[in-house]
Amino acid sequence: MNPDIMKERQTATFDVERLTNILDGGPEKTKRRREIESLVLSDPDFQDEDPNFLSRSERYDQAVKKSAQMILKIREHGISDPEEIYCYKNCVHPGRPQPLDLHLGMFLPTLLSQATPEQMDRFFMPAWNLQIIGTYAQTEMGHGTHLRGLETTATYDPATQEFVLNTPTISSIKWWPGGLGKTSNHAMVLAQLYTQGNCHGLHAFITPIRDLITHLPLPGIVVGDIGPKFGFSEVDNGYLKLDNVRIPRENMLMKYAKVEPDGTYVKPPSDKLTYGTMVFIRSIIVGHSAEALAKSCTIAIRYSAVRHQSEIRLGEPEPQILDYQTQQHKLFPLLATTYAFNFIAQYMNHTYKCINQDINNGDFSQLPELHALSAGLKAFTSWAANTGIEVCRMACGGHGYSCSSALPGIYVEFTPSCTYEGENTVMMLQTARYLVKSYRQAKAGQQLSGMVSYLNEAEHRVQPQPVAARPTVVNINDLASLVQVYKLRAAMLVELAAKSIQQELQRRRSQEDAWNHSAIDLVRASDAHCHYVVVKVFTDKLGEISDTAIHSVMSTLALLYALHGIAENSGDFLQAGLLSGPQVLQISVRIKELLSLLRPNAVALVDAFDFHDKKLNSILGRYDGNVYEHMFEWARQSPLNTTEVHESFYKYLKPLRSQL
Amino acid sequence: MNPDIMKERQTATFDVERLTNILDGGPEKTKRRREIESLVLSDPDFQDEDPNFLSRSERYDQAVKKSAQMILKIREHGISDPEEIYCYKNCVHPGRPQPLDLHLGMFLPTLLSQATPEQMDRFFMPAWNLQIIGTYAQTEMGHGTHLRGLETTATYDPATQEFVLNTPTISSIKWWPGGLGKTSNHAMVLAQLYTQGNCHGLHAFITPIRDLITHLPLPGIVVGDIGPKFGFSEVDNGYLKLDNVRIPRENMLMKYAKVEPDGTYVKPPSDKLTYGTMVFIRSIIVGHSAEALAKSCTIAIRYSAVRHQSEIRLGEPEPQILDYQTQQHKLFPLLATTYAFNFIAQYMNHTYKCINQDINNGDFSQLPELHALSAGLKAFTSWAANTGIEVCRMACGGHGYSCSSALPGIYVEFTPSCTYEGENTVMMLQTARYLVKSYRQAKAGQQLSGMVSYLNEAEHRVQPQPVAARPTVVNINDLASLVQVYKLRAAMLVELAAKSIQQELQRRRSQEDAWNHSAIDLVRASDAHCHYVVVKVFTDKLGEISDTAIHSVMSTLALLYALHGIAENSGDFLQAGLLSGPQVLQISVRIKELLSLLRPNAVALVDAFDFHDKKLNSILGRYDGNVYEHMFEWARQSPLNTTEVHESFYKYLKPLRSQL
């Protein structure tokens, strides 16, 4: 063990294991997670080569191999709880998507939720046993987040009782679905349903795309890999061109909507059925944001504890770089953000489960708010994590660029979260739509409940005005007071956005144009709303923590999170007159104190995330801190070092001499 | 030509070619640049495979091949002007470093500037003719920016008149130098010089590392590639372990410092000799920041003009995504930033040339300011470009993740600029040191000149105070007025940082600790200073533009740049009482107007950067806008598509079925 990092662990003021339990949701959960992880980590079948040393095709190959093993072993071990399956998978492919993700995560669940009993009989067991490998083919080359714009058609032909599937244009070629390129033999194709001359919008069609025996593409199908990407090297994201592909009527998922043999269309009973799934997926992305940041902070903070560089005092030994205020200022607010996002993910998961019970009882009343909030939080957390990972990477200096740090991989695997499952700006605008609607309802005298209830408080609503005009009663050391300030900021920005729309309307713009001309303000309002929710949930969480030592360090983190957010957005708070200039100055001084206060606990706070070294797979982030010797060892395994002299020397450099 | 993008070009209000000339520095320069580019682009020897489809070893191989060709052809074509050589190279390896970069850019120039005539005789021609291929081995595993900490030693042995080179620890292994791993047979090793029992600091030693004929590592040398990284796949960044490697006394570069045969050390005449080179390299990085952003904006803006998505008005055709206010708000400030950075690079280059003349005349007086400013501007521009590239990429939705967009490549090749040639935070602190020193000089009554002269204006210095207390005379539509506001903001933040140091000293902290405890404030001050300089130089540049149409659109861009910078940092301006809340609100309204105003010129403004399609190598950024058909064509060439069925199907998926 590196002596520096050993010393760091001795300065911790709290019990790391107990904090890990809080993050896992209890000591039993920690225990079970570790059991599952050790099943994978001790399994010789999963001791594979570092993917950084492989070509794309080799990475795909290794991933398919591991996924096949994984499916066998999950059944062997009798793991059936979805969270445990996820944990096992996340340890086999740490932080990386894999070729069967859409089969397991979308194809099978969609069958379960939308197939009729007859369809279950035909498709489920073959899919469960991987005779059928499926993907979910929704996005097209020309359309992503805007689903109504999808162009693929499924036209019912009553003469043969078949659907005819077509991608009529280049832009309608299905594009991006994971596992589509090489792995899948079926696709759940989302297409505009046409029957009896009418379009009935998007429906899902189980479409065979490759022969079950030969795996060759079927007639009318052009399918392949979309080529190298930023990350996702293990996955064959694919394209699919459909040319008059005929499938039986019974291949349309018909649990809700139906097409009768004669072509009569029967509508589904509700249009909110997909909301629950969307909320669930977004809450998972919020969890991913927390996890990616947790990994990045673990690596950067541990490395900063063993890296010595430069000098604070001339002639003295070089300090650990974690002692530099600038380094603390980069990393500790991100550490606080990681905890904040962990708690918001727990909150969303919990809320989702509660509301899901309501839904099962036929009560949809709370779903719209959660749906709207989940969109904004998905964007808010994934954007912050996206930026934060890169801050951590760059805080590691040159070595952060090496794949041995794991940070480049974490970034490229994470960043797509900002775009998939709803592009972030579109997500923010979705939340804004809900906020503006709520604002108008409150203004019309309706009493709002839930997270937007602050819009009721018309009398407290603030407007840009000089600070002198309002009494300032904010206590910058009191979280409740800061939650209040965040709330008022959100209220102000929602009001500003709503007023901007109003003004645009007065300029005789249409409702839609007014919306577009206020979009910047709307995104700001959503951002402020999400920020408020995150600060509030973090603060509320403190109430659940009984261990005093942990309560104390978590309170410091929560305060840092709240104050740093104010410092970064101080214009909003000053503009609204919520804080005065001197208070903002005080906050920046207080932030520096909090950094010093957190310093002795920094390593312990990342240890609590409890990433096994093999799962983190980062030389800079090793638990034992023995960075340099392992970096050298890793480098010597680089494929370019398999020969002392690279063939290009004989081919180009040697001949060049005689030509010059 | 895609009709949307054709239409965009018709709405331009200015002559694109003339703006290109301004960026190039005159019509003749544009002409010559295009001549050189067409030499490369029409050369069949440079029609190579898309590197995105190659393995790392293949990429390195292809790069060595092209570099060897490049060296032959540059001589064939008689290109000898350094800027023209750079232009040729930048077209052979567009935006990518290559294995001979350090040989051409560091090894040869270092010989030219620091070798004695005898050393020139021995080394220059062999190096010129690539018998000797050299690199510049400075950074070590344990030390980067902090050069004094480097551990490699060169100990003089008068008995044999040799230096003995050693990397005594793991952390002292040379690490990162480009071309070191496989390409070079010599290294310019930077080592602590020991003679007669004393250490005389870093000096450069020409060290043979591989046999000239066999290319095998020499005795005592362990050399190799440091492994895969974020970007730089074409370059064999390497490691070098030296174990009692003996080189003749004459291999130390001795134009300035010397070691006599008996071991007597002779000091160099000045310690500012390296400042000029550092300023030059940083000005090049500022230029790279502008270029990387220019490419990213070109791709994102052209693509946003041909991509249609979603709906503003229900039932109407899907709008170009460039019509969304949020998209404009992401891209147009970056477009303005690109122009700002182009002009600041021109300014630095020009200033450097002027000061270089002074230096040649023995006048070093202006060098310290330029040196300090160049550090901050390097950090300021590379950070902004780094973030901006990713904003552009994500503004392209899913397709921005595909390597066919070129954006992932632009990011990974650019981002190291934030770390190499001086880590950005350290660079900001270097500028801050100069600012604080200047502030103290001004306070002591000294009259400052140059860009820091605003620190003289003690009477105008502002402090955080309510806006009501000071008259607000800012005209948000007048650039001169905005330059003034930026200047006052910088003055305030320099003062705040200086006062923070003062307060820390009063708490009985040492000078060094006081500095470290004020580091956040110091970085902020530097940032504000650089921001001021960039706004000022952009504004000054307008005075040189006589074409009224171009002057008009450039003024709009400059205004957007300045106002957007205020909006993003409104807390600073409000806190200082430089702007009132209502003014900040006005600014956000004005920004929206400027976005609309720029909309018709957006495509023309990126066309003016004049990137040849082959150099941009981006399907989304194609000049003709024909994106989708080419994306499909590109994907079909993906290596995973060389067979219809990937071997992993036979190896893992088919056997799996019988096991389940």
Side-chain angles (χ1 to χ4, degrees), chain A residues 616-632:
Chain A
L616 199 57
N617 197 26
S618 164
I619 287 172
L620 300 188
R622 291 174 62 91
Y623 186 82
D624 68 10
N626 293 327
V627 165
Y628 295 136
E629 46 276 55
H630 287 95
M631 196 161 13
F632 189 39

Side-chain angles (χ1 to χ4, degrees), chain B residues 286-408:
Chain B
V286 173
H288 284 173
S289 303
E291 193 183 8
L293 260 189
K295 284 185 178 176
S296 306
C297 285
T298 302
I299 296 165
I301 287 178
R302 285 185 183 158
Y303 177 59
S304 298
V306 301
R307 173 83 170 178
H308 290 254
Q309 190 79 179
S310 201
E311 47 201 10
I312 294 179
R313 294 182 213 90
L314 213 74
E316 289 190 19
E318 296 180 288
Q320 295 161 284
I321 59 173
L322 200 53
D323 284 333
Y324 287 97
Q325 190 182 63
T326 46
Q327 189 78 346
Q328 296 171 6
H329 191 236
K330 287 174 191 172
L331 299 178
F332 296 172
L334 288 173
L335 182 60
T337 304
T338 309
Y339 276 92
F341 289 2
N342 256 305
F343 298 139
I344 200 84
Q346 283 182 357
Y347 164 85
M348 284 175 76
N349 195 273
H350 176 75
T351 313
Y352 169 70
K353 283 180 182 159
C354 295
I355 294 184
N356 220 21
Q357 280 191 324
D358 292 351
I359 297 172
N360 290 337
N361 299 331
D363 172 7
F364 287 74
S365 63
Q366 298 221 57
L367 196 52
E369 168 164 4
L370 186 60
H371 179 243
L373 179 63
S374 72
L377 286 175
K378 181 262 182 190
F380 183 83
T381 59
S382 61
W383 264 335
N386 196 66
T387 315
I389 296 165
E390 283 296 85
V391 170
C392 288
R393 183 178 64 71
M394 292 201 274
C396 294
H399 298 323
Y401 293 85
S402 167
C403 291
S404 70
S405 74
L407 289 162

